[in-house]
Amino acid sequence: MKNSSRRGFMGKAFGAVAGVGAVGALYAMKRSWDPLPSVKAAGFTTLDMSAYKDNELITEKWRGKPIFVLKQTKTMAEKAEANPKDIERLIKVGDSYFMVCIGLCTHLGCIPGYNSDEESFLCACHGGMYDFTGEVTKAPPPRGLDIPPFKVDGNKLVLGEEGPEYKKMKETGVTL
């Protein structure tokens, strides 16, 4: 009788230790699979759109990529409104229009430069040109500059979150 109770206690003790070890191992595995806090933080970027000036290109950073933000002047907005294809590419925040796109040429991934006098982008690698809305005006780029996922939140733009404006752009083929 003494042996069986001692044997039962040892079995229960071994089972408890093994259970605690299994829970610890599962917790460690889950933690190793979760994204790092720095990766989570890089997923969303909030831009205060009131800080941008007319026809001044500002390059922000989102997920390690350059993001071009260009506030449209009144004349640029009027030109874009005259062409439905151009106005579709612009993002309206408050009363202003903005061109927000990933600053990488859709041909080979070079970073185009902006000429504020001509209101156009030039990719010097192969001579591709884009207008002030990010639409191709001279080949070889196969499509306009890509627009990152965004959501308009009052006077702010949240990059990395798909809002209704972005979903509409995606449905109409303005961006990928």
Side-chain angles (χ1 to χ4, degrees), residues 40-60:
K40 282 183 183 177
F44 297 102
T45 300
T46 303
L47 306 176
D48 181 8
M49 302 311 278
S50 63
Y52 298 99
K53 297 177 185 163
D54 290 352
N55 198 24
E56 183 180 315
L57 182 72
I58 302 295
T59 305
E60 302 286 352

Side-chain angles (χ1 to χ4, degrees), residues 22-135:
V23 168
L26 289 173
Y27 176 74
M29 282 192 295
K30 186 208 175 296
R31 290 286 307 242
S32 69
W33 289 331
D34 287 344
L36 295 171
S38 60
V39 173
K40 282 183 183 177
F44 297 102
T45 300
T46 303
L47 306 176
D48 181 8
M49 302 311 278
S50 63
Y52 298 99
K53 297 177 185 163
D54 290 352
N55 198 24
E56 183 180 315
L57 182 72
I58 302 295
T59 305
E60 302 286 352
K61 193 174 180 182
W62 172 71
R63 293 186 180 172
K65 296 178 184 173
I67 301 296
F68 289 165
V69 180
L70 179 66
K71 184 176 181 183
Q72 307 290 297
T73 62
K74 288 187 190 275
T75 56
M76 292 164 94
E78 288 168 1
K79 280 189 227 175
E81 286 173 346
N83 184 355
K85 190 176 180 184
D86 285 345
I87 200 69
E88 284 179 341
R89 293 188 57 81
L90 297 179
I91 300 168
K92 188 169 185 177
V93 179
D95 294 333
S96 302
Y97 286 99
F98 293 88
M99 183 220 49
V100 178
C101 61
I102 299 173
L104 298 174
C105 180
T106 55
H107 178 231
L108 292 176
C110 307
I111 298 176
Y114 181 66
N115 184 338
S116 59
D117 296 333
E118 295 179 15
E119 297 175 346
S120 66
F121 292 87
L122 170 67
C123 182
C125 297
H126 294 101
M129 292 184 77
Y130 302 90
D131 67 5
F132 58 91
T133 66
E135 187 60 45

Side-chain angles (χ1 to χ4, degrees), residues 88 90-93 147-154 156-175:
E88 284 179 341
L90 297 179
I91 300 168
K92 188 169 185 177
V93 179
I147 299 169
F150 69 91
K151 178 182 174 191
V152 177
D153 185 15
K156 296 184 183 200
L157 193 73
V158 181
L159 297 177
E161 191 172 337
E162 290 189 11
E165 299 89 351
Y166 178 77
K167 288 178 182 176
K168 183 180 176 192
M169 285 181 165
K170 229 172 147 179
E171 288 171 6
T172 58
V174 173
T175 191

Side-chain angles (χ1 to χ4, degrees), residues 132-150:
F132 58 91
T133 66
E135 187 60 45
V136 176
T137 56
K138 183 181 172 202
R143 64 183 182 281
L145 294 170
D146 294 326
I147 299 169
F150 69 91

